[in-house]
Amino acid sequence: MIPIHSVYIHIPFCQQICHYCDFTKFFYNEQLANDYVDALKKEMSTYVPEKEKKVKTIFIGGGTPTALTVPQLEAVLRHIAETFDLHECEEFTIEANPGDFSKEKVALLSTYGVNRVSLGVQVFDNEMLKTLGRIHTVKDVYDTVSLLQDYGIHNISTDLIYALPNQTVAHFKDSLTKAMNLDLPHLSTYALQIEPKTVFYQRYKKGNLPRPPQEDEVKMYDILKTTAAKNGLYQYEISNFAKQGFESKHNLTYWNNNFYYGFGAGAYGYLPGKRYGNIRPLPAYIKQVNNDGKPVLHVDKIGKKEQIEEEMFLGLRRMEGVSKRQFTDKFGVSMDKIYRPSIEELVQRGWLLEREDQIALSEEGKIVANEVFERFLLDDLVI
């Protein structure tokens, strides 16, 4: 059996629903959260065999994991420690909103081995934070970073969003500068995406969501890359920048197309030969877990064709790109045999760089990455 070394755990509760978010999330309710934590523990215990307990990365995401009370958060962390062997865990991350941490919660993280925090900062502007539906302030960001560092947690990542409603290039540059002044080792930065079933989507459909012009979005991305590099953060993935040694090991699990467990309502997992998604509605998730411990809504078979496509989509998100040699070792067929016409076309258009053993996105290719990825879809696979 192939060992599974990474674990994603979803906590779907939020104190407020952000206007742009389409992840599985629900307003916090203490009793519902208690029931959810019990169900989550049962799901983990059902799925993880004894011989697969060693893990290298754990990521608790949301929602807002830090919306849980201290006893609820401790129950989750304790069960993780009881379910998995954490002695070889290299990275244990929790997502958090600035302002959600008390000293007691941070002490819990330290006690149970959490060594990385991903902060949903989004923007350094109080009025724009309100526009996004965020409840923290810029001061909360500084206070939270200071508190975490006081407890010895220095591996902190900040998330920023750009191309926000009414945002100018100068405004984004100012926000990015403030993020850089924190001198943290990791930065994730994304252009705003308007997703269905969000407040922003409804406003967009009504014409009430003014977006920056596309050329400004491109300028923001260029400023992002230049500013990060000047501050010692190198770009290792389309949207992620880090000091050497502080790359997100858990997210590299996804981009390297490796296997991982997914636990919780709406969570996704990837195991040999299949990708699965859990039930999203909380009452249905809890009921199914209490029934048989297996709240899976659907399972997609991942055959060789799908594995190859995902190897290209995900691998090309990394700046180092995809190794031809590793591709051949993994799939028993050369990349050129399957993709030579696509590679030549993309190189000619200036969207792809080809080296002796690597193909990678060019600077222009990063901007049109989704169009590049489409060229690696396969109608059929004949080897």
Side-chain angles (χ1 to χ4, degrees):
M1 180 179 290
I2 300 174
I4 314 301
H5 290 308
S6 291
V7 180
Y8 175 79
I9 297 165
H10 192 72
I11 306 296
F13 297 105
C14 294
Q15 297 291 351
Q16 181 165 315
I17 305 302
C18 299
H19 296 167
Y20 54 86
C21 179
D22 72 332
F23 293 130
T24 302
K25 72 279 183 187
F26 301 89
F27 283 110
Y28 178 82
N29 172 282
E30 186 171 7
Q31 184 56 54
L32 187 59
N34 283 333
D35 293 342
Y36 181 79
V37 168
D38 288 342
L40 184 62
K41 289 160 57 179
K42 184 173 182 180
E43 183 194 3
M44 281 192 274
S45 297
T46 300
Y47 271 96
V48 184
E50 184 73 29
K51 59 186 171 182
E52 288 190 3
K53 285 195 169 186
K54 289 186 177 180
V55 292
K56 292 184 178 178
T57 72
I58 299 173
F59 195 106
I60 306 176
T64 312
T66 46
L68 297 178
T69 63
V70 169
Q72 290 165 348
L73 182 59
E74 183 170 20
V76 172
L77 293 172
R78 186 189 310 116
H79 192 74
I80 291 171
E82 292 170 351
T83 305
F84 298 101
D85 181 352
L86 303 184
H87 288 95
E88 297 178 18
C89 186
E90 299 170 3
E91 182 185 273
F92 191 163
T93 302
I94 189 169
E95 283 186 335
N97 284 342
D100 273 359
F101 278 126
S102 62
K103 290 182 178 180
E104 196 172 2
K105 284 185 181 179
V106 178
L108 266 184
L109 303 187
S110 181
T111 297
Y112 284 95
V114 176
N115 57 16
R116 184 174 184 271
V117 173
S118 178
L119 282 181
V121 175
Q122 315 314 1
V123 65
F124 282 82
D125 181 294
N126 286 333
E127 289 305 312
M128 198 163 282
L129 284 168
K130 293 178 184 177
T131 299
L132 295 175
R134 306 289 290 180
I135 58 175
H136 75 267
T137 66
V138 174
K139 182 178 182 299
D140 289 329
V141 176
Y142 297 116
D143 291 346
T144 299
V145 169
S146 179
L147 179 61
L148 290 169
Q149 291 175 338
D150 285 346
Y151 278 81
I153 299 176
H154 297 278
N155 191 356
I156 303 169
S157 176
T158 52
D159 282 6
L160 294 183
I161 305 177
Y162 63 95
L164 296 168
N166 294 311
Q167 188 177 43
T168 64
V169 172
H171 181 279
F172 172 68
K173 188 174 182 180
D174 178 69
S175 193
L176 182 61
T177 298
K178 289 173 180 174
M180 292 295 98
N181 287 341
L182 287 169
D183 192 28
L184 298 176
H186 193 279
L187 173 70
S188 296
T189 311
Y190 307 92
L192 177 67
Q193 301 295 313
I194 307 300
E195 303 289 355
K197 300 180 181 179
T198 64
V199 172
F200 273 3
Y201 181 78
Q202 298 304 320
R203 293 179 184 174
Y204 175 76
K205 294 291 285 184
K206 295 176 182 177
N208 296 327
L209 194 73
R211 301 287 308 280
Q214 188 172 10
E215 56 268 27
D216 281 2
E217 183 176 326
V218 172
K219 288 178 184 176
M220 291 178 195
Y221 188 55
D222 286 339
I223 289 170
L224 166 64
K225 292 184 291 183
T226 302
T227 304
K230 286 181 179 178
N231 285 272
L233 301 178
Y234 85 99
Q235 186 176 20
Y236 70 100
E237 192 267 349
I238 289 177
S239 301
N240 286 270
F241 304 78
K243 294 181 181 180
Q244 290 287 347
F246 287 91
E247 304 85 354
S248 172
K249 293 181 173 66
H250 183 84
N251 286 340
L252 282 167
T253 296
Y254 305 145
W255 302 321
N256 291 334
N257 204 20
N258 293 330
F259 302 119
Y260 55 92
Y261 285 112
F263 299 117
Y268 282 83
Y270 179 35
L271 303 179
K274 64 181 180 180
R275 192 180 301 280
Y276 65 91
N278 276 352
I279 296 168
R280 291 172 67 101
L282 281 189
Y285 167 83
I286 293 169
K287 181 179 179 180
Q288 189 60 43
V289 171
N290 289 333
N291 180 38
D292 64 4
K294 300 178 179 179
V296 174
L297 177 64
H298 62 86
V299 177
D300 298 323
K301 182 179 178 182
I302 305 295
K304 194 167 187 177
K305 171 181 173 293
E306 290 78 16
Q307 290 181 49
I308 287 173
E309 289 174 335
E310 292 183 1
E311 188 81 7
M312 303 305 294
F313 302 161
L314 297 169
L316 284 172
R317 291 192 62 89
R318 299 170 307 176
M319 294 304 94
E320 68 181 41
V322 183
S323 162
K324 294 181 181 181
R325 176 183 52 78
Q326 290 178 3
F327 184 97
T328 302
D329 291 345
K330 190 169 186 177
F331 299 109
V333 61
S334 73
M335 186 187 298
D336 282 344
K337 183 172 182 179
I338 300 175
Y339 287 122
R340 189 71 241 164
S342 296
I343 292 172
E344 289 182 353
E345 176 204 352
L346 292 167
V347 169
Q348 188 172 13
R349 297 189 71 164
W351 292 356
L352 203 66
L353 302 173
E354 184 174 20
R355 309 179 186 95
E356 183 177 351
D357 182 53
Q358 301 279 137
I359 64 167
L361 292 176
S362 66
E363 289 301 317
E364 187 178 351
K366 295 174 189 177
I367 298 171
V368 293
N370 287 336
E371 291 184 56
V372 174
F373 299 158
E374 287 177 5
R375 301 302 200 281
F376 294 96
L377 286 170
L378 297 170
D379 292 330
D380 202 356
L381 180 63
V382 178
I383 300 175

